[in-house]
């Protein structure tokens, strides 16, 4: 079992819709969680980080964390074609000094 | 957010030569940096964890004598691909661990180095 699991997609949504990306993790000791966006041929770019249960909003992005269910999600409101990319979910375990990445979900936003 | 740079962004070399890639944290100190490799349409693969002032920790299957890592200062880590071969051609990405004012941990990526071995 991988430490972080994501559906590889592709997830297709029309422009202006809400895109919902999900991720589960297996290590209950994970303390911090992240969403990165990676465009084809580029390195990952940090979008959101979340450290406690609940929702965290930043512009069109909302990250949600449920530690009891070991579940992290990212909502993208008013999706734009420029949001089309692969979204990587990551979990950090402090005492292992290690970030665990999911394999990524490819998002396509259709004009 | 914090800025991580990599140099060079592109390198083409002949088989058998060594290539050095630099990773710098520009506006923060990074006691830990990570080196990843990514082949086309595949996931990030962690190669090694680089700790300032100590030896790097390599992931299983990564040859430490082939991929030499040095983390000589709090802002610089280098990866040297020794005796490079065509199968080493890949996208190499470094990242740096940063701690925020509230103690929260985050990882920022450099822009990556694309290596092509002929």
């Amino acid at each position: 079992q991988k430490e972080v699991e994501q559906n590889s997609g592709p997830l297709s949504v029309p422009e202006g819709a809400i895109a919902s990306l999900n991720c589960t993790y297996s290590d209950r000791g994970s303390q911090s969680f992240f969403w990165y966006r990676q465009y084809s041929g580029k390195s990952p770019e940090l979008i959101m980080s979340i450290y406690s249960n609940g929702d965290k909003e930043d512009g069109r992005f909302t990250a949600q964390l449920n530690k009891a269910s070991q579940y992290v999600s990212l909502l993208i409101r008013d999706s734009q074609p420029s949001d089309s990319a692969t979204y990587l979910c990551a979990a950090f375990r402090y005492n292992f000094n290690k970030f665990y990445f999911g394999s990524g979900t490819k998002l396509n936003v259709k004009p | 957010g914090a800025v991580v740079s990599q140099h060079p962004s592109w390198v083409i070399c002949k088989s058998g030569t060594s290539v050095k890639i630099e990773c710098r944290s520009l506006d923060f100190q990074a006691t830990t940096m990570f080196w990843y490799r990514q082949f086309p349409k595949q996931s990030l693969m962690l190669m090694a964890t680089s700790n300032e002032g100590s030896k790097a920790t390599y992931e299983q299957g990564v040859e430490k004598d082939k991929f030499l890592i040095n983390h000589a200062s709090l802002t610089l880590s280098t990866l040297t691909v020794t005796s490079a071969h065509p199968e080493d051609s890949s996208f190499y990405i470094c990242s740096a661990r940063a701690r925020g004012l509230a103690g929260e941990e985050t990882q920022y990526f450099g822009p990556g180095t694309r290596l092509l071995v002929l």
Side-chain angles (χ1 to χ4, degrees):
Chain A
Q1 181 189 11
K2 289 189 66 177
E3 286 83 4
V4 176
E5 300 269 8
Q6 291 180 257
N7 188 317
S8 61
L11 172 67
S12 292
V13 299
E15 184 175 356
I18 295 176
S20 177
L21 303 162
N22 305 311
C23 163
T24 58
Y25 62 95
S26 60
D27 185 356
R28 287 194 175 274
S30 297
Q31 293 133 317
S32 308
F33 304 88
F34 309 90
W35 284 99
Y36 291 86
R37 176 176 61 197
Q38 187 176 25
Y39 291 112
S40 181
K42 302 292 186 182
S43 69
E45 170 193 13
L46 180 66
I47 296 177
M48 293 282 289
S49 56
I50 187 165
Y51 306 96
S52 55
N53 277 327
D55 294 0
K56 180 181 177 183
E57 186 174 322
D58 184 1
R60 295 187 296 113
F61 300 98
T62 299
Q64 299 173 316
L65 173 60
N66 184 325
K67 289 188 176 181
S69 301
Q70 295 176 242
Y71 179 88
V72 192
S73 66
L74 178 70
L75 299 178
I76 307 175
R77 288 181 298 282
D78 188 25
S79 296
Q80 301 297 308
S82 59
D83 294 326
S84 297
T86 296
Y87 288 80
L88 303 171
C89 174
F92 178 69
R93 179 74 186 260
Y94 182 86
N95 52 345
F96 290 170
N97 190 23
K98 190 165 273 193
F99 290 85
Y100 298 99
F101 280 87
S103 55
T105 298
K106 186 173 175 59
L107 173 66
N108 290 328
V109 180
K110 298 182 177 181
Chain B
V3 179
V4 177
S5 71
Q6 267 184 258
H7 178 81
S9 55
W10 266 99
V11 59
I12 302 174
C13 69
K14 292 183 179 180
S15 185
T17 60
S18 294
V19 175
K20 179 185 281 190
I21 302 170
E22 291 187 350
C23 178
R24 294 182 185 272
S25 56
L26 297 186
D27 51 359
F28 66 102
Q29 293 182 331
T31 55
T32 302
M33 291 184 173
F34 303 92
W35 287 96
Y36 295 85
R37 180 166 57 179
Q38 189 174 38
F39 293 105
K41 300 189 185 302
Q42 294 191 21
S43 305
L44 283 175
M45 188 196 83
L46 178 66
M47 299 175 67
T49 301
S50 169
N51 297 299
E52 187 267 337
S54 64
K55 290 183 179 180
T57 303
Y58 291 81
E59 295 299 300
Q60 191 173 9
V62 178
E63 298 174 59
K64 61 180 180 181
D65 294 330
K66 180 167 182 63
F67 299 99
L68 301 179
I69 291 172
N70 183 277
H71 194 155
S73 77
L74 288 171
T75 60
L76 173 65
S77 176
T78 60
L79 168 69
T80 301
V81 183
T82 62
S83 186
H85 291 285
E87 59 266 27
D88 298 322
S89 299
S90 188
F91 190 34
Y92 291 86
I93 312 172
C94 76
S95 70
R97 174 181 164 185
R99 180 171 291 181
L101 294 175
E104 69 276 18
E105 299 282 348
T106 311
Q107 179 181 205
Y108 295 96
F109 284 88
T113 296
R114 205 163 293 282
L115 170 63
L116 177 61
V117 184
L118 302 176

